[in-house]
Amino acid sequence: LPSGNMVSAVSKNDGNFHLGRFDDYRLIYSDTTGRMRQFGFKYDDNIDLPAGWSELYFCGDEILYYPQYLNSIYSVTDSAIRQKYIIDCRNFTPFDQKRIAQYNDWDKFCEYWYSTTNLESKIAETGDHLYFGVNNKRQLQYYFYNKRTQTLTGFKTMLLDREFAVEFSRLYSYGEYFVGTAPVPLLKELKAYKDRMGEQMSDGIGDMIDRLKEEDNDVLVLFKLKQPEA
């Protein structure tokens, strides 16, 4: 956090029994020495299953928190936990939060989980857009919400661009850019396809792909979404 304090997201399954009644809270605040200072977000998930894992995301100077299955995204500061977005799944098959604590068998829990619709832990945000994923009965769908126009664009898969490629399984953000990754084999495949079709890639991109080795790390891809024309 900007103050230098740290905030950690935990679940009941993490075994923090020494916390006593504070084990009902999913966020733990600590100072720079690791000493716990305060707790936040009371959420009774499931002590028997790793069913309530949650994640924190850096988005600029802000920390976003997604408590698993609750279909909401929260902004976390030193002094407050504020609900920022609600993903409304009522027209589908929303996950029933009350059922989280009922299971002691992971397979049975997953059977119910995959029969519902819920926000996935795939979140990134820039000044203009929010990116998130929704699991709808085992089918993952991706969405970009334009905060300026208040419009939502969703898709089930992404076709390779004529110039580049990016995997949407996980995106991050940096400033006004979304940040994704492109595996080297995927880029090599794209370049080979373009060569077969007799199409030229932009200056520098084709040469960069040719220089990549199969064992190289994924390539970082920074991109912005265009605003619709007025």
Side-chain angles (χ1 to χ4, degrees):
L1 293 163
S3 64
N5 293 329
M6 295 182 290
V7 59
S8 304
V10 297
S11 72
K12 211 159 196 177
N13 182 261
D14 289 335
N16 291 316
F17 308 119
H18 61 288
L19 296 180
R21 62 187 178 89
F22 294 111
D23 192 26
D24 290 336
Y25 292 89
R26 303 282 67 87
L27 295 179
I28 300 177
Y29 289 78
S30 57
D31 61 21
T32 54
T33 68
R35 184 176 180 180
M36 290 179 289
R37 292 296 187 184
Q38 59 187 8
F39 301 84
F41 205 89
K42 197 170 186 178
Y43 175 19
D44 185 16
D45 48 60
N46 193 319
I47 198 171
D48 297 314
L49 303 176
W53 68 85
S54 303
E55 297 195 45
L56 295 168
Y57 301 86
F58 275 114
C59 294
D61 295 328
E62 185 179 29
I63 293 179
L64 297 182
Y65 171 53
Y66 167 50
Q68 189 80 0
Y69 315 115
L70 296 195
N71 294 341
S72 294
I73 301 170
Y74 294 80
S75 173
V76 177
T77 67
D78 272 291
S79 58
I81 303 167
R82 177 175 57 87
Q83 189 178 59
K84 190 172 184 181
Y85 299 105
I86 300 174
I87 311 303
D88 188 352
C89 299
R90 287 177 297 177
N91 289 337
F92 300 91
T93 312
F95 187 99
D96 183 0
Q97 178 191 350
K98 296 177 181 178
R99 298 186 64 167
I100 294 176
Q102 295 179 6
Y103 294 89
N104 56 15
D105 181 275
W106 177 245
D107 290 336
K108 291 182 180 180
F109 174 80
C110 287
E111 183 179 349
Y112 170 69
W113 176 19
Y114 291 136
S115 70
T116 64
T117 308
N118 61 286
L119 179 65
E120 276 283 319
S121 55
K122 303 176 187 300
I123 298 166
E125 185 179 23
T126 66
D128 292 331
H129 292 88
L130 172 71
Y131 164 78
F132 61 94
V134 169
N135 169 55
N136 183 36
K137 298 181 179 179
R138 288 183 178 267
Q139 186 175 65
L140 186 59
Q141 301 174 7
Y142 308 95
Y143 291 91
F144 284 100
Y145 174 65
N146 188 318
K147 292 186 281 185
R148 288 190 187 181
T149 61
Q150 296 185 350
T151 54
L152 190 65
T153 301
F155 50 94
K156 297 178 181 178
T157 187
M158 179 64 73
L159 300 177
L160 293 182
D161 187 86
R162 306 303 285 182
E163 283 293 319
F164 219 74
V166 62
E167 288 201 334
F168 278 82
S169 57
R170 176 57 63 97
L171 290 184
Y172 303 89
S173 61
Y174 180 78
E176 291 304 309
Y177 286 89
F178 286 107
V179 182
T181 59
V184 173
L186 182 63
L187 295 178
K188 294 284 189 182
E189 177 185 338
L190 176 60
K191 176 66 163 51
Y193 171 77
K194 298 270 287 188
D195 290 343
R196 289 195 303 270
M197 300 299 293
E199 298 180 10
Q200 295 292 322
M201 304 189 87
S202 297
D203 292 342
I205 294 181
D207 292 338
M208 183 273 291
I209 295 176
D210 286 337
R211 290 194 301 270
L212 292 172
K213 300 177 181 179
E214 293 291 338
E215 63 272 18
D216 283 345
N217 292 331
D218 292 354
V219 175
L220 288 179
V221 184
L222 280 71
F223 66 92
K224 293 180 181 181
L225 298 181
K226 292 182 179 180
Q227 289 289 345
E229 296 182 2

